[in-house]
């Protein structure tokens, strides 16, 4: 598709004179295109840049439409844990993986954001994309809700220095005094599976391709960001209502 588009753009550049208005056969068009490219190689770079800009604009437009369409699910899904003030006036949505180093690095910033602003609610979207160990950790964390331990469990896993896997996850559960047998049973509940499926659907719609990823009001923000940027995005969202 890109090759066709490049040729088409090059052909447009090469055939701008009125004398080319007459019909040309395909072979002659190709000959003129390649002649134009040989004479002006920058045509290729310009064509690629134009295509990339068009693709980025289309992706941004699709993501903005998805954000509007999925707003209620993003911010008010009853099957998603909420940290901070459940009735806060600004909602931040975070997609994360317990084995993502950048997620762990930004964890302290998210915690500081919640501590610094009593009117923020943070919707936690477990999005385990780094293998089966991440899936196990996410399922266990979501299952911890049934024992009233989600936030403690989440904080412990994010503070864990090693890789989150079955052994480390179960050790955290034991340290928190949880019923490990019940936790394992709850990990396979329909609610846990539904949460993970919804996270995958939302990230695809929004165009996220890695963790962490955030939604601040109308802003889609991929990657680890500093506390000051988070606070600025929160204030922007608050001003926008």
């Amino acid at each position: 598709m890109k090759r066709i588009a490049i040729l088409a753009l090059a052909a447009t550049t090469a055939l701008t004179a009125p004398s080319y208005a007459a019909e040309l056969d395909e072979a002659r068009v190709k000959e003129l295109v390649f002649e134009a490219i040989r004479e002006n190689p920058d045509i290729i770079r310009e064509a690629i840049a134009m295509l990339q800009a068009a693709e980025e604009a289309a992706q941004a437009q699709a993501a903005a439409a998805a954000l509007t369409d999925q707003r209620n699910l993003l911010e008010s899904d009853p099957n998603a844990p909420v940290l901070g003030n459940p009735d806060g006036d600004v909602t931040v949505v975070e997609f994360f993986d317990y084995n993502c180093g950048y997620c762990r690095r930004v964890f302290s910033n998210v915690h500081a954001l919640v501590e610094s602003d009593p009117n923020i609610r943070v919707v936690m979207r477990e999005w385990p994309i780094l293998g089966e160990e991440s899936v196990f950790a996410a399922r266990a964390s979501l299952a911890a809700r049934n024992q009233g331990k989600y936030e403690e469990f989440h904080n412990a896993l994010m503070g864990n220095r090693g890789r989150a896997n079955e052994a480390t996850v179960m050790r955290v559960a034991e340290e928190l005094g949880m019923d490990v047998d019940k936790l394992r049973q709850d990990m396979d509940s329909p609610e846990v599976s539904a949460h993970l499926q919804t996270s995958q659907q939302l990230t695809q719609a929004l165009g996220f391709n890695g963790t962490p990823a955030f939604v601040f009001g109308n802003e889609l923000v991929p990657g680890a960001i500093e506390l000051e940027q988070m606070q600025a995005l929160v204030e922007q969202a608050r001003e926008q209502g």
Side-chain angles (χ1 to χ4, degrees):
M1 188 68 181
K2 285 189 176 182
R3 182 174 181 274
I4 294 172
I6 290 172
L7 289 175
L9 287 168
T12 300
T13 305
L15 307 179
T16 52
S19 59
Y20 288 105
E23 291 185 1
L24 297 173
D25 61 35
E26 184 178 353
R28 180 56 178 154
V29 169
K30 289 181 179 179
E31 181 182 343
L32 290 170
V33 167
F34 287 117
E35 181 180 337
I37 291 173
R38 284 193 295 271
E39 293 177 356
N40 183 14
D42 287 341
I43 288 175
I44 296 296
R45 286 189 288 272
E46 293 171 4
I48 291 174
M50 290 172 67
L51 285 169
Q52 289 176 336
E55 288 178 355
E56 290 172 1
Q59 290 171 355
Q61 185 176 7
L67 182 55
T68 299
D69 293 341
Q70 303 295 334
R71 174 75 67 185
N72 186 62
L73 184 59
L74 271 168
E75 297 186 351
S76 304
D77 180 7
N79 194 26
V82 174
L83 304 183
N85 183 353
D87 299 316
D89 64 343
V90 173
T91 297
V92 177
V93 184
E94 180 186 7
F95 294 85
F96 61 93
D97 183 309
Y98 288 113
N99 283 315
C100 165
Y102 293 106
C103 297
R104 291 180 181 178
R105 191 175 78 183
V106 83
F107 165 69
S108 61
N109 294 340
V110 175
H111 181 76
L113 179 68
V114 171
E115 290 294 314
S116 68
D117 191 326
N119 286 317
I120 291 179
R121 61 191 299 270
V122 182
V123 176
M124 311 301 289
R125 294 254 40 132
E126 306 266 353
W127 186 30
I129 57 175
L130 298 176
E132 289 303 314
E133 292 177 334
S134 291
V135 173
F136 187 94
R139 283 186 170 276
S141 185
L142 290 167
R145 293 179 295 180
N146 290 346
Q147 299 186 48
K149 295 284 190 178
Y150 178 81
E151 186 169 0
E152 293 175 72
F153 202 89
H154 171 77
N155 293 346
L157 288 183
M158 279 299 180
N160 178 44
R161 290 185 177 275
R163 186 168 179 82
N165 53 34
E166 183 173 355
T168 58
V169 167
M170 288 299 114
R171 184 178 70 242
V172 165
E174 291 174 354
E175 290 172 351
L176 292 176
M178 299 177 65
D179 183 334
V180 174
D181 291 335
K182 177 174 172 53
L183 183 69
R184 286 186 179 276
Q185 181 179 352
D186 291 340
M187 286 172 62
D188 294 324
S189 71
E191 291 80 11
V192 167
S193 297
H195 177 100
L196 299 181
Q197 183 177 5
T198 300
S199 293
Q200 183 64 27
Q201 292 171 347
L202 287 170
T203 52
Q204 287 179 344
L206 297 173
F208 289 140
N209 54 26
T211 54
F214 297 89
V215 179
F216 289 82
N218 295 321
E219 298 295 326
L220 303 176
V221 186
I225 56 176
E226 298 302 324
L227 174 60
E228 292 76 13
Q229 186 178 353
M230 289 183 180
Q231 292 171 327
L233 288 164
V234 165
E235 288 308 314
Q236 177 180 302
R238 184 167 280 139
E239 290 171 3
Q240 293 172 345

